[in-house]
Amino acid sequence: MEKIHDVTRPPLEYVKGVPLIKYFAEAMGPLQSFQARPDDLLISTYPKSGTTWVSEILDMIYQGGDLEKCHRAPIFIRVPFLEFKAPGLPSGMDTLKDTPTPRLLKTHLPLTLLPQTLLDQKVKTIYVARNAKDVAVSYFHFYRMAKVHPDPGTWDSFLEKFMAGDVSYGSWYQHVKEWEELSHTHPILYLFYEDMKENPKREIQKILEFLGRSLPEKTVDYIVEQTSFKEMKKNSMANYSNVPTEVMDHSISNFMRKGIAGDWKNTFTVAQNERFDADYAEKMAGCGLHFRTEL
Ligand code: PPS
């Protein structure tokens, strides 16, 4: 592991036209040697869409609801983040070396950058999508606290960048659409953050069915409880509090920030909302996906 000198908000770097955090762009080369296994389970999301939440749910399912076992390591070690790389922390590829089978894997990559081996091995994937307005707000605060990102600038300028796909991982609009299209031909369970907020037990049952697993009802209830926002916020193995401050500064904004649907209303001005809606209608025209922006 390299020593942390200075993370200092490097500009995004483009890989096949996709803007990425500089360190993640550097990880794309080594990721070429990644070999998927048929019993891997991939968690795919656009950033800030509920990745950590569904990761904790899946690890709890894999550990049969044993919370102590889920406390064995931070979430980014239990669920290796394929393209992750940052100063002073093990990369996703490093973490994978010690990850026993069956593996849970995380990615935010759009399809153009997804390692082909995951498709070749027909790896089951759980995709979580979240409404664009809450993602934009959550992403803004994440840019502020996670210093591997460029400076987000003002909220207004960040929102413009988000709409233009000029943020790490590129366009939200393209990401949610292309993964939905892929779900027609590949084993992908497509979930929504808002559905998980509305009825987590129902969504966990969907996950169990997709995995071909079953758990006693009281274990499912326990998983619902332990993966609630309130519990995960105080769980040091789930809340990213063990990441060095140079990389994530929770005093600027907590990783576990609000965990609700509809928080965008506290941030968007009326004018921003109108502009966003008009642009959204154009970008999502003809797309069957329906997102709820409040519950
Ligand atoms: S990341 O960095 O892209 O992996 O972030 P990700 O985990 O996808 O998204 C972070 C947002 O999810 C919220 N969160 C939760 N919401 C509800 N319940 C639970 N258990 C939960 N855990 C995390 C987290 O608070 C971020 O959303 P915001 O809106 O910023 O609060």
Side-chain angles (χ1 to χ4, degrees), residues 130-139 194 260-264 293:
R130 186 183 192 187
N131 82 78
K133 292 179 183 178
D134 281 329
V135 168
V137 172
S138 182
Y139 214 174
E194 294 75 22
I260 58 171
D263 181 49
W264 63 271
T293 52

Side-chain angles (χ1 to χ4, degrees), residues 39-91:
D39 60 355
D40 286 338
L41 188 285
L42 180 67
I43 297 162
S44 169
T45 56
Y46 188 83
K48 313 324 288 178
S49 301
T51 330
T52 315
W53 188 9
V54 82
S55 298
E56 189 68 24
I57 289 172
L58 280 158
D59 191 41
M60 281 210 80
I61 290 173
Y62 272 42
Q63 302 305 326
D66 186 331
L67 189 62
E68 283 315 303
K69 288 189 183 161
C70 296
H71 282 161
R72 70 192 181 282
I75 193 69
F76 50 86
I77 302 293
R78 287 180 283 143
V79 181
F81 180 7
L82 293 180
E83 66 272 21
F84 181 80
K85 184 174 174 284
L89 288 166
S91 70

Side-chain angles (χ1 to χ4, degrees), residues 45-53 81 106 108 130 134 137-139 141-142 193 197 227-230 232 240 248 254-260 263:
T45 56
Y46 188 83
K48 313 324 288 178
S49 301
T51 330
T52 315
W53 188 9
F81 180 7
K106 160 183 169 178
H108 294 310
R130 186 183 192 187
D134 281 329
V137 172
S138 182
Y139 214 174
H141 292 292
F142 190 54
Y193 178 94
K197 280 303 292 184
T227 58
S228 68
F229 180 75
K230 189 167 146 268
M232 281 183 60
Y240 283 90
M248 280 191 189
N254 273 314
F255 182 91
M256 295 288 172
R257 198 180 58 88
K258 288 202 178 169
I260 58 171
D263 181 49

Side-chain angles (χ1 to χ4, degrees), residues 60-196:
M60 281 210 80
I61 290 173
Y62 272 42
Q63 302 305 326
D66 186 331
L67 189 62
E68 283 315 303
K69 288 189 183 161
C70 296
H71 282 161
R72 70 192 181 282
I75 193 69
F76 50 86
I77 302 293
R78 287 180 283 143
V79 181
F81 180 7
L82 293 180
E83 66 272 21
F84 181 80
K85 184 174 174 284
L89 288 166
S91 70
M93 286 296 280
D94 286 341
T95 306
L96 273 172
K97 288 180 196 141
D98 300 320
T99 305
T101 297
R103 306 181 296 188
L104 293 168
L105 310 171
K106 160 183 169 178
T107 190
H108 294 310
L109 291 171
L111 296 183
T112 182
L113 295 178
L114 190 76
Q116 179 65 30
T117 174
L118 288 158
L119 301 175
D120 294 345
Q121 294 296 323
K122 299 183 172 49
V123 168
K124 278 191 181 179
T125 302
I126 298 186
Y127 187 88
V128 186
R130 186 183 192 187
N131 82 78
K133 292 179 183 178
D134 281 329
V135 168
V137 172
S138 182
Y139 214 174
F140 174 66
H141 292 292
F142 190 54
Y143 254 65
R144 290 173 57 234
M145 69 87 75
K147 297 173 187 169
V148 289
H149 296 98
D151 192 308
T154 62
W155 158 244
D156 195 60
S157 67
F158 183 81
L159 185 61
E160 289 297 324
K161 283 188 218 133
F162 180 87
M163 286 159 59
D166 192 14
V167 289
S168 185
Y169 292 103
S171 165
W172 173 92
Y173 311 85
Q174 188 177 330
H175 205 282
V176 296
K177 284 193 277 190
E178 68 182 21
W179 276 93
E180 196 278 333
E181 269 163 35
L182 191 72
S183 74
H184 298 205
T185 50
H186 286 76
I188 297 174
L189 177 67
Y190 200 97
L191 299 176
F192 293 90
Y193 178 94
E194 294 75 22
D195 292 349
M196 290 169 62

